[in-house]
Amino acid sequence: MSSAISIPGSSARVVAASASPTTTTIHDRMLFRKESTSFAIRQPKVLHPVENEDLKLLILENISQEAVKAFRSQGFHVDHSTKAMSEDELVQKIGQYHAIGIRSKTKITERVLKAASKLLVIGCFCIGTNQVDLDNAAKAGIPVFNSPFSNSRSVAELVMSEIVALSRQYFERAFEMRNGIWNKQSKGCWEVRGKTLGIVGYGHIGSQLSVLAEAFGMRVLFYDVVNIMPLGSARQVDTLATLLSESDFVTLHVPELPETTNMISTEELAQMKKGAYLINNARGKVVDIPALIDALKSGHLAGAALDVYPSEPGSNGSPFDDQLNPWSSALRSIPNVILTPHIGGSTEEAQRMIGEEVSSALIRYLNNGSTVGAVNFPEVDLRAITLEEPNHIRVCYVHKNIPGVLRQVNEVLSPYNVEKQYSDSKGEIAYLMADIADVSPRDVNSLREQLNITSANILTRMLA
Ligand SMILES: O=C(O)[C@H](O)COP(=O)(O)O
Protein backbone atom coordinates (compact mmCIF):
# COMPACT_ATOMS: atom_id res chain seq x y z
CA MET A 1 0.00 0.00 0.00
CA SER A 2 1.26 3.48 -0.68
CA SER A 3 -0.17 6.90 -0.09
CA ALA A 4 0.45 10.22 -1.76
CA ILE A 5 1.25 13.47 0.01
CA SER A 6 0.69 16.80 -1.76
CA ILE A 7 3.48 19.34 -1.55
CA PRO A 8 2.11 22.86 -1.12
CA GLY A 9 2.88 25.03 -4.12
CA SER A 10 3.79 22.07 -6.29
CA SER A 11 1.81 19.84 -8.60
CA ALA A 12 4.26 17.02 -7.85
CA ARG A 13 3.55 14.37 -5.27
CA VAL A 14 5.68 12.45 -2.84
CA VAL A 15 5.02 8.75 -2.68
CA ALA A 16 5.24 7.45 0.85
CA ALA A 17 5.87 3.84 0.07
CA SER A 18 5.36 0.69 2.12
CA ALA A 19 7.86 -0.73 4.54
CA SER A 20 9.31 -2.87 1.80
CA PRO A 21 13.06 -2.41 1.49
CA THR A 22 12.77 -2.10 -2.28
CA THR A 23 9.86 0.29 -2.54
CA THR A 24 11.31 3.48 -1.18
CA THR A 25 14.60 5.12 -2.05
CA ILE A 26 15.91 8.59 -2.33
CA HIS A 27 14.90 8.57 -5.99
CA ASP A 28 11.23 8.41 -5.10
CA ARG A 29 11.33 11.42 -2.87
CA MET A 30 11.60 15.10 -3.45
CA LEU A 31 14.84 16.63 -2.31
CA PHE A 32 14.58 19.39 0.26
CA ARG A 33 17.08 22.16 0.85
CA LYS A 34 16.75 24.47 3.80
CA GLU A 35 16.85 28.09 2.72
CA SER A 36 16.50 30.55 5.62
CA THR A 37 13.20 29.61 7.26
CA SER A 38 11.46 27.90 4.30
CA PHE A 39 12.16 24.75 2.31
CA ALA A 40 12.94 25.03 -1.42
CA ILE A 41 12.13 21.94 -3.39
CA ARG A 42 14.69 20.56 -5.81
CA GLN A 43 12.93 18.23 -8.17
CA PRO A 44 14.62 14.96 -9.05
CA LYS A 45 15.34 14.52 -12.73
CA VAL A 46 13.88 11.40 -14.32
CA LEU A 47 16.85 9.55 -15.76
CA HIS A 48 16.86 7.17 -18.71
CA PRO A 49 19.54 5.04 -20.33
CA VAL A 50 21.37 7.11 -22.94
CA GLU A 51 21.68 4.12 -25.30
CA ASN A 52 19.58 4.67 -28.41
CA GLU A 53 17.76 1.38 -28.28
CA ASP A 54 14.29 1.18 -26.66
CA LEU A 55 14.11 -1.18 -23.72
CA LYS A 56 12.21 -4.44 -24.33
CA LEU A 57 10.79 -6.48 -21.47
CA LEU A 58 9.55 -10.08 -21.46
CA ILE A 59 6.95 -10.66 -18.75
CA LEU A 60 5.92 -14.30 -18.20
CA GLU A 61 3.71 -16.42 -15.91
CA ASN A 62 0.69 -14.14 -15.71
CA ILE A 63 2.39 -11.42 -13.71
CA SER A 64 0.02 -8.70 -12.51
CA GLN A 65 -1.18 -6.16 -15.07
CA GLU A 66 -0.14 -3.48 -12.56
CA ALA A 67 3.44 -4.33 -13.41
CA VAL A 68 2.79 -4.31 -17.15
CA LYS A 69 1.11 -0.89 -16.87
CA ALA A 70 4.00 0.47 -14.79
CA PHE A 71 6.54 -0.67 -17.40
CA ARG A 72 4.53 0.71 -20.31
CA SER A 73 4.17 4.04 -18.52
CA GLN A 74 7.98 4.29 -18.68
CA GLY A 75 7.86 3.83 -22.44
CA PHE A 76 9.25 0.28 -22.29
CA HIS A 77 8.06 -2.24 -24.87
CA VAL A 78 6.44 -5.17 -23.00
CA ASP A 79 5.72 -8.68 -24.29
CA HIS A 80 3.42 -10.38 -21.79
CA SER A 81 2.47 -14.06 -21.53
CA THR A 82 0.41 -16.04 -19.02
CA LYS A 83 2.71 -19.05 -19.34
CA ALA A 84 6.20 -20.02 -18.25
CA MET A 85 8.84 -20.66 -20.93
CA SER A 86 11.00 -23.74 -21.29
CA GLU A 87 14.78 -23.41 -21.37
CA ASP A 88 14.83 -24.00 -25.15
CA GLU A 89 12.19 -21.34 -25.81
CA LEU A 90 14.03 -18.86 -23.63
CA VAL A 91 17.36 -19.53 -25.30
CA GLN A 92 15.68 -18.72 -28.62
CA LYS A 93 13.92 -15.55 -27.48
CA ILE A 94 15.85 -13.97 -24.60
CA GLY A 95 18.51 -12.37 -26.84
CA GLN A 96 16.19 -9.49 -27.81
CA TYR A 97 15.17 -8.50 -24.25
CA HIS A 98 16.68 -6.10 -21.73
CA ALA A 99 14.66 -7.37 -18.77
CA ILE A 100 12.62 -10.43 -17.87
CA GLY A 101 9.90 -10.91 -15.25
CA ILE A 102 9.16 -14.43 -14.04
CA ARG A 103 7.51 -16.27 -11.14
CA SER A 104 8.55 -19.65 -9.77
CA LYS A 105 8.22 -21.80 -12.93
CA THR A 106 10.59 -20.23 -15.45
CA LYS A 107 14.18 -21.34 -14.97
CA ILE A 108 16.91 -18.86 -15.80
CA THR A 109 19.80 -21.27 -16.20
CA GLU A 110 23.42 -20.69 -17.17
CA ARG A 111 22.49 -21.64 -20.75
CA VAL A 112 19.70 -19.05 -20.82
CA LEU A 113 22.04 -16.40 -19.39
CA LYS A 114 24.62 -17.14 -22.10
CA ALA A 115 21.97 -16.43 -24.74
CA ALA A 116 20.81 -13.26 -22.95
CA SER A 117 23.19 -10.86 -24.66
CA LYS A 118 21.17 -7.71 -23.88
CA LEU A 119 19.70 -8.71 -20.53
CA LEU A 120 20.19 -6.06 -17.83
CA VAL A 121 17.95 -7.24 -15.01
CA ILE A 122 15.75 -10.12 -13.81
CA GLY A 123 12.61 -9.68 -11.72
CA CYS A 124 11.25 -12.63 -9.74
CA PHE A 125 7.66 -11.61 -9.06
CA CYS A 126 7.54 -13.97 -6.06
CA ILE A 127 9.60 -14.73 -2.94
CA GLY A 128 11.71 -17.63 -4.24
CA THR A 129 14.78 -17.02 -6.39
CA ASN A 130 16.01 -20.63 -6.63
CA GLN A 131 14.76 -20.75 -10.25
CA VAL A 132 17.54 -18.32 -11.25
CA ASP A 133 21.23 -19.12 -11.48
CA LEU A 134 22.06 -16.19 -9.20
CA ASP A 135 25.85 -16.51 -9.33
CA ASN A 136 26.07 -16.60 -13.09
CA ALA A 137 23.58 -13.76 -13.35
CA ALA A 138 25.79 -11.63 -11.07
CA LYS A 139 28.89 -12.56 -13.07
CA ALA A 140 27.09 -11.39 -16.21
CA GLY A 141 26.32 -8.07 -14.46
CA ILE A 142 22.61 -8.86 -14.05
CA PRO A 143 20.99 -8.04 -10.69
CA VAL A 144 18.01 -10.14 -9.60
CA PHE A 145 15.15 -8.62 -7.62
CA ASN A 146 12.31 -10.39 -5.83
CA SER A 147 9.46 -9.61 -3.50
CA PRO A 148 10.65 -10.81 -0.11
CA PHE A 149 7.35 -10.74 1.75
CA SER A 150 4.37 -9.42 -0.22
CA ASN A 151 2.68 -12.83 -0.39
CA SER A 152 3.53 -13.94 3.17
CA ARG A 153 0.06 -13.29 4.52
CA SER A 154 -1.58 -15.20 1.65
CA VAL A 155 0.60 -18.24 2.29
CA ALA A 156 0.05 -18.07 6.06
CA GLU A 157 -3.73 -17.94 5.60
CA LEU A 158 -3.60 -20.93 3.24
CA VAL A 159 -1.67 -22.91 5.84
CA MET A 160 -4.25 -22.08 8.54
CA SER A 161 -7.00 -23.31 6.25
CA GLU A 162 -5.05 -26.52 5.56
CA ILE A 163 -4.55 -27.15 9.29
CA VAL A 164 -8.30 -26.97 9.87
CA ALA A 165 -9.14 -28.90 6.70
CA LEU A 166 -6.79 -31.75 7.64
CA SER A 167 -7.93 -31.80 11.26
CA ARG A 168 -11.62 -31.90 10.35
CA GLN A 169 -11.18 -34.05 7.20
CA TYR A 170 -13.61 -31.75 5.46
CA PHE A 171 -11.88 -31.87 2.10
CA GLU A 172 -12.56 -35.62 2.05
CA ARG A 173 -16.19 -35.09 3.10
CA ALA A 174 -16.60 -32.36 0.47
CA PHE A 175 -15.15 -34.67 -2.18
CA GLU A 176 -17.59 -37.43 -1.14
CA MET A 177 -20.56 -35.04 -1.27
CA ARG A 178 -19.57 -34.08 -4.85
CA ASN A 179 -19.88 -37.76 -5.63
CA GLY A 180 -23.31 -37.92 -3.97
CA ILE A 181 -22.11 -39.62 -0.74
CA TRP A 182 -23.39 -38.50 2.68
CA ASN A 183 -20.76 -39.54 5.25
CA LYS A 184 -21.20 -37.64 8.52
CA GLN A 185 -18.58 -38.60 11.11
CA SER A 186 -16.48 -37.28 14.00
CA LYS A 187 -13.98 -40.10 14.40
CA GLY A 188 -10.44 -38.79 13.85
CA CYS A 189 -11.71 -35.19 13.53
CA TRP A 190 -10.24 -32.69 15.95
CA GLU A 191 -10.40 -29.05 16.96
CA VAL A 192 -7.07 -27.29 16.44
CA ARG A 193 -7.34 -25.45 19.77
CA GLY A 194 -4.71 -26.74 22.18
CA LYS A 195 -2.78 -28.62 19.47
CA THR A 196 0.89 -27.94 18.72
CA LEU A 197 2.01 -26.37 15.47
CA GLY A 198 5.68 -26.83 14.56
CA ILE A 199 6.96 -24.22 12.10
CA VAL A 200 10.20 -24.99 10.27
CA GLY A 201 11.66 -21.63 9.16
CA TYR A 202 10.51 -18.54 11.11
CA GLY A 203 10.85 -15.92 8.39
CA HIS A 204 8.15 -13.63 7.01
CA ILE A 205 5.67 -16.47 6.45
CA GLY A 206 6.54 -18.59 9.49
CA SER A 207 6.25 -15.67 11.91
CA GLN A 208 2.98 -14.42 10.36
CA LEU A 209 1.58 -17.93 10.68
CA SER A 210 2.71 -18.11 14.30
CA VAL A 211 0.44 -15.17 15.17
CA LEU A 212 -2.54 -16.60 13.30
CA ALA A 213 -2.11 -20.05 14.88
CA GLU A 214 -2.00 -18.61 18.39
CA ALA A 215 -5.21 -16.71 17.66
CA PHE A 216 -6.72 -20.16 16.99
CA GLY A 217 -5.53 -21.31 20.43
CA MET A 218 -2.64 -23.41 19.13
CA ARG A 219 0.69 -23.82 20.90
CA VAL A 220 3.49 -22.78 18.54
CA LEU A 221 7.04 -24.14 18.33
CA PHE A 222 9.51 -23.16 15.66
CA TYR A 223 12.88 -24.29 14.42
CA ASP A 224 15.22 -21.94 12.55
CA VAL A 225 18.95 -21.94 11.84
CA VAL A 226 19.25 -18.45 13.36
CA ASN A 227 18.03 -17.27 16.75
CA ILE A 228 14.88 -15.22 16.28
CA MET A 229 12.75 -13.44 18.82
CA PRO A 230 9.51 -15.42 19.07
CA LEU A 231 6.25 -13.59 18.50
CA GLY A 232 3.52 -13.98 21.12
CA SER A 233 4.03 -17.12 23.17
CA ALA A 234 5.80 -19.11 20.44
CA ARG A 235 8.94 -20.99 21.49
CA GLN A 236 12.09 -21.66 19.46
CA VAL A 237 13.47 -25.17 19.78
CA ASP A 238 17.10 -26.17 19.26
CA THR A 239 16.71 -29.07 16.89
CA LEU A 240 14.47 -30.16 14.07
CA ALA A 241 14.08 -33.52 15.83
CA THR A 242 12.58 -31.80 18.91
CA LEU A 243 10.12 -29.90 16.77
CA LEU A 244 9.11 -33.01 14.84
CA SER A 245 8.59 -35.12 17.94
CA GLU A 246 6.47 -32.51 19.78
CA SER A 247 4.20 -31.20 17.00
CA ASP A 248 0.73 -32.30 15.91
CA PHE A 249 1.13 -30.29 12.69
CA VAL A 250 4.48 -29.61 11.02
CA THR A 251 4.63 -26.87 8.38
CA LEU A 252 7.66 -26.02 6.24
CA HIS A 253 8.74 -22.46 5.32
CA VAL A 254 12.35 -22.76 4.17
CA PRO A 255 13.96 -21.85 0.83
CA GLU A 256 15.19 -24.44 -1.65
CA LEU A 257 18.90 -24.88 -0.94
CA PRO A 258 21.27 -27.84 -1.07
CA GLU A 259 20.86 -28.04 2.77
CA THR A 260 17.06 -28.19 2.58
CA THR A 261 16.76 -30.78 -0.19
CA ASN A 262 14.93 -33.82 1.25
CA MET A 263 15.05 -32.13 4.66
CA ILE A 264 11.99 -34.21 5.50
CA SER A 265 12.69 -37.82 4.53
CA THR A 266 12.15 -41.30 6.07
CA GLU A 267 14.10 -40.57 9.27
CA GLU A 268 12.40 -37.22 9.94
CA LEU A 269 8.95 -38.60 9.16
CA ALA A 270 9.59 -41.38 11.68
CA GLN A 271 10.45 -38.70 14.28
CA MET A 272 7.02 -37.11 13.82
CA LYS A 273 4.26 -38.10 16.25
CA LYS A 274 1.96 -40.92 15.13
CA GLY A 275 -1.20 -39.27 13.81
CA ALA A 276 0.53 -35.95 13.02
CA TYR A 277 0.13 -33.98 9.79
CA LEU A 278 2.76 -32.56 7.40
CA ILE A 279 2.19 -29.37 5.38
CA ASN A 280 4.51 -28.12 2.63
CA ASN A 281 3.95 -24.79 0.93
CA ALA A 282 7.69 -24.00 0.62
CA ARG A 283 9.49 -25.80 -2.20
CA GLY A 284 8.83 -29.28 -3.60
CA LYS A 285 12.33 -30.63 -3.12
CA VAL A 286 12.25 -30.04 0.64
CA VAL A 287 10.14 -33.21 1.13
CA ASP A 288 11.12 -36.69 -0.05
CA ILE A 289 7.71 -37.49 -1.50
CA PRO A 290 8.09 -41.29 -1.91
CA ALA A 291 9.01 -41.39 1.81
CA LEU A 292 5.93 -39.28 2.61
CA ILE A 293 3.73 -41.65 0.58
CA ASP A 294 5.06 -44.55 2.71
CA ALA A 295 4.41 -42.67 5.97
CA LEU A 296 0.83 -41.94 4.88
CA LYS A 297 0.13 -45.45 3.62
CA SER A 298 1.45 -47.02 6.83
CA GLY A 299 -0.87 -44.75 8.85
CA HIS A 300 2.02 -43.16 10.74
CA LEU A 301 0.89 -39.74 9.50
CA ALA A 302 -2.81 -38.84 9.62
CA GLY A 303 -2.59 -36.60 6.56
CA ALA A 304 -0.64 -34.06 4.55
CA ALA A 305 -1.13 -30.95 2.46
CA LEU A 306 1.19 -30.21 -0.45
CA ASP A 307 1.18 -27.07 -2.59
CA VAL A 308 4.62 -27.49 -4.18
CA TYR A 309 6.36 -30.32 -6.05
CA PRO A 310 9.86 -31.04 -7.38
CA SER A 311 8.54 -30.66 -10.96
CA GLU A 312 5.53 -28.48 -11.68
CA PRO A 313 3.67 -27.87 -14.95
CA GLY A 314 4.49 -24.59 -16.69
CA SER A 315 0.91 -23.60 -17.49
CA ASN A 316 -2.69 -24.24 -16.48
CA GLY A 317 -4.28 -27.29 -18.06
CA SER A 318 -0.98 -29.19 -18.32
CA PRO A 319 -1.06 -32.68 -16.74
CA PHE A 320 0.25 -33.44 -13.28
CA ASP A 321 1.19 -37.01 -14.07
CA ASP A 322 3.87 -39.68 -13.69
CA GLN A 323 5.84 -38.24 -16.58
CA LEU A 324 6.30 -35.06 -14.59
CA ASN A 325 6.96 -36.78 -11.24
CA PRO A 326 7.17 -40.61 -11.21
CA TRP A 327 5.14 -40.89 -7.97
CA SER A 328 2.33 -38.59 -9.05
CA SER A 329 -0.44 -41.22 -9.43
CA ALA A 330 0.58 -42.93 -6.15
CA LEU A 331 0.27 -39.59 -4.35
CA ARG A 332 -3.01 -38.69 -6.01
CA SER A 333 -4.55 -42.00 -4.93
CA ILE A 334 -4.11 -41.26 -1.19
CA PRO A 335 -7.35 -39.77 0.16
CA ASN A 336 -5.98 -37.92 3.19
CA VAL A 337 -3.66 -35.65 1.20
CA ILE A 338 -4.67 -32.17 0.07
CA LEU A 339 -2.97 -31.39 -3.24
CA THR A 340 -3.06 -27.84 -4.58
CA PRO A 341 -1.31 -26.38 -7.66
CA HIS A 342 1.23 -24.00 -6.04
CA ILE A 343 -1.38 -21.39 -5.09
CA GLY A 344 0.18 -20.22 -1.80
CA GLY A 345 0.89 -16.71 -3.09
CA SER A 346 -1.94 -16.64 -5.62
CA THR A 347 -4.30 -14.00 -4.28
CA GLU A 348 -5.39 -10.74 -5.84
CA GLU A 349 -3.79 -8.83 -2.95
CA ALA A 350 -0.43 -10.57 -3.10
CA GLN A 351 -0.11 -10.45 -6.87
CA ARG A 352 -0.99 -6.76 -6.99
CA MET A 353 1.52 -5.88 -4.26
CA ILE A 354 4.23 -8.03 -5.84
CA GLY A 355 3.52 -6.46 -9.24
CA GLU A 356 3.98 -2.98 -7.81
CA GLU A 357 7.00 -3.83 -5.71
CA VAL A 358 9.08 -5.73 -8.26
CA SER A 359 8.19 -3.48 -11.20
CA SER A 360 9.33 -0.48 -9.11
CA ALA A 361 12.63 -2.20 -8.34
CA LEU A 362 13.21 -3.01 -12.02
CA ILE A 363 12.30 0.51 -13.16
CA ARG A 364 14.59 2.00 -10.51
CA TYR A 365 17.45 -0.16 -11.72
CA LEU A 366 16.86 0.45 -15.43
CA ASN A 367 16.35 4.21 -15.09
CA ASN A 368 18.40 5.12 -12.01
CA GLY A 369 20.87 2.28 -11.55
CA SER A 370 19.80 1.52 -7.97
CA THR A 371 20.42 -2.06 -6.85
CA VAL A 372 18.83 -1.68 -3.40
CA GLY A 373 16.99 -4.94 -2.69
CA ALA A 374 18.88 -7.05 -5.26
CA VAL A 375 19.47 -10.57 -3.97
CA ASN A 376 22.71 -11.36 -5.83
CA PHE A 377 24.36 -7.97 -6.15
CA PRO A 378 26.05 -5.28 -4.06
CA GLU A 379 23.37 -2.78 -3.01
CA VAL A 380 24.27 0.67 -4.33
CA ASP A 381 22.24 3.84 -4.70
CA LEU A 382 22.85 7.58 -5.08
CA ARG A 383 20.64 10.52 -4.27
CA ALA A 384 18.87 11.84 -7.32
CA ILE A 385 20.30 14.19 -9.94
CA THR A 386 18.03 17.23 -9.88
CA LEU A 387 16.50 19.33 -12.65
CA GLU A 388 18.96 22.06 -11.69
CA GLU A 389 21.77 19.82 -12.93
CA PRO A 390 20.86 19.37 -16.61
CA ASN A 391 24.25 18.24 -17.94
CA HIS A 392 24.93 15.68 -15.25
CA ILE A 393 25.20 12.05 -16.19
CA ARG A 394 25.20 8.93 -14.08
CA VAL A 395 27.78 6.24 -14.68
CA CYS A 396 26.82 2.69 -13.62
CA TYR A 397 29.85 0.45 -13.74
CA VAL A 398 29.55 -3.25 -12.87
CA HIS A 399 32.98 -4.78 -12.60
CA LYS A 400 35.07 -7.62 -11.28
CA ASN A 401 36.00 -7.16 -7.64
CA ILE A 402 39.77 -6.99 -8.14
CA PRO A 403 42.44 -4.55 -6.88
CA GLY A 404 43.25 -1.43 -8.87
CA VAL A 405 39.88 -0.94 -10.56
CA LEU A 406 38.91 2.26 -8.78
CA ARG A 407 42.21 3.89 -9.72
CA GLN A 408 41.51 3.14 -13.40
CA VAL A 409 37.93 4.40 -13.17
CA ASN A 410 38.93 7.58 -11.40
CA GLU A 411 41.55 8.24 -14.05
CA VAL A 412 38.85 8.04 -16.70
CA LEU A 413 36.59 10.33 -14.68
CA SER A 414 39.34 12.75 -13.62
CA PRO A 415 38.69 15.49 -16.24
CA TYR A 416 35.21 15.93 -14.76
CA ASN A 417 33.74 17.04 -11.50
CA VAL A 418 32.51 13.86 -9.81
CA GLU A 419 29.56 15.14 -7.75
CA LYS A 420 29.01 11.89 -5.90
CA GLN A 421 30.25 8.36 -6.12
CA TYR A 422 29.54 5.14 -4.26
CA SER A 423 30.72 1.62 -4.74
CA ASP A 424 30.29 -1.69 -3.00
CA SER A 425 31.12 -5.32 -3.64
CA LYS A 426 29.58 -8.73 -3.06
CA GLY A 427 31.81 -11.73 -3.66
CA GLU A 428 33.39 -11.49 -7.10
CA ILE A 429 31.19 -8.60 -8.24
CA ALA A 430 31.47 -4.89 -7.51
CA TYR A 431 29.27 -2.00 -8.58
CA LEU A 432 30.12 1.68 -8.77
CA MET A 433 27.74 4.54 -9.37
CA ALA A 434 29.01 8.06 -10.01
CA ASP A 435 27.26 11.30 -10.97
CA ILE A 436 29.41 13.59 -13.10
CA ALA A 437 28.83 17.27 -13.87
CA ASP A 438 28.91 19.09 -17.21
CA VAL A 439 29.28 16.23 -19.65
CA SER A 440 28.57 16.97 -23.31
CA PRO A 441 26.68 14.34 -25.36
CA ARG A 442 29.88 13.64 -27.34
CA ASP A 443 31.82 13.01 -24.14
CA VAL A 444 29.26 10.47 -22.96
CA ASN A 445 30.24 8.01 -25.70
CA SER A 446 33.92 8.54 -25.15
CA LEU A 447 33.54 8.00 -21.40
CA ARG A 448 31.59 4.82 -21.96
CA GLU A 449 34.19 3.50 -24.38
CA GLN A 450 37.03 4.23 -21.96
CA LEU A 451 35.23 2.40 -19.14
CA ASN A 452 34.23 -0.47 -21.42
CA ILE A 453 37.85 -1.24 -22.17
CA THR A 454 38.98 -1.34 -18.53
CA SER A 455 40.11 -4.87 -17.74
CA ALA A 456 37.58 -5.37 -14.91
CA ASN A 457 34.54 -4.11 -16.84
CA ILE A 458 31.47 -6.34 -16.89
CA LEU A 459 28.83 -3.81 -17.85
CA THR A 460 28.88 -0.02 -18.18
CA ARG A 461 25.69 1.97 -18.52
CA MET A 462 25.19 5.73 -18.77
CA LEU A 463 22.00 7.38 -17.55
CA ALA A 464 21.00 10.98 -18.24
O1 LIG B 1 8.12 -18.05 -4.33
C1 LIG B 1 6.97 -17.68 -4.07
O2 LIG B 1 6.70 -16.51 -3.80
C2 LIG B 1 5.84 -18.65 -4.05
O3 LIG B 1 6.29 -19.94 -4.17
C3 LIG B 1 4.81 -18.32 -5.11
O4 LIG B 1 5.31 -18.56 -6.39
P1 LIG B 1 4.43 -18.18 -7.68
O5 LIG B 1 4.45 -16.69 -7.82
O6 LIG B 1 5.08 -18.86 -8.83
O7 LIG B 1 3.03 -18.66 -7.42
Side-chain angles (χ1 to χ4, degrees), residues 191-221:
E191 291 183 356
V192 301
R193 178 173 53 163
K195 307 298 181 299
T196 300
L197 173 64
I199 301 173
V200 182
Y202 204 66
H204 293 300
I205 298 172
S207 52
Q208 178 91 224
L209 177 60
S210 168
V211 175
L212 297 181
E214 286 198 338
F216 267 70
M218 299 186 83
R219 174 178 167 251
V220 176
L221 303 178

Side-chain angles (χ1 to χ4, degrees), residues 61 103-105 125-131 147 151 155 281-283 308 342-346 351 354:
E61 299 191 55
R103 289 172 63 184
S104 61
K105 304 286 177 298
F125 286 73
C126 54
I127 296 180
T129 53
N130 59 294
Q131 67 281 35
S147 172
N151 65 18
V155 179
N281 290 269
R283 282 291 178 261
V308 288
H342 201 148
I343 53 167
S346 296
Q351 291 308 310
I354 291 172

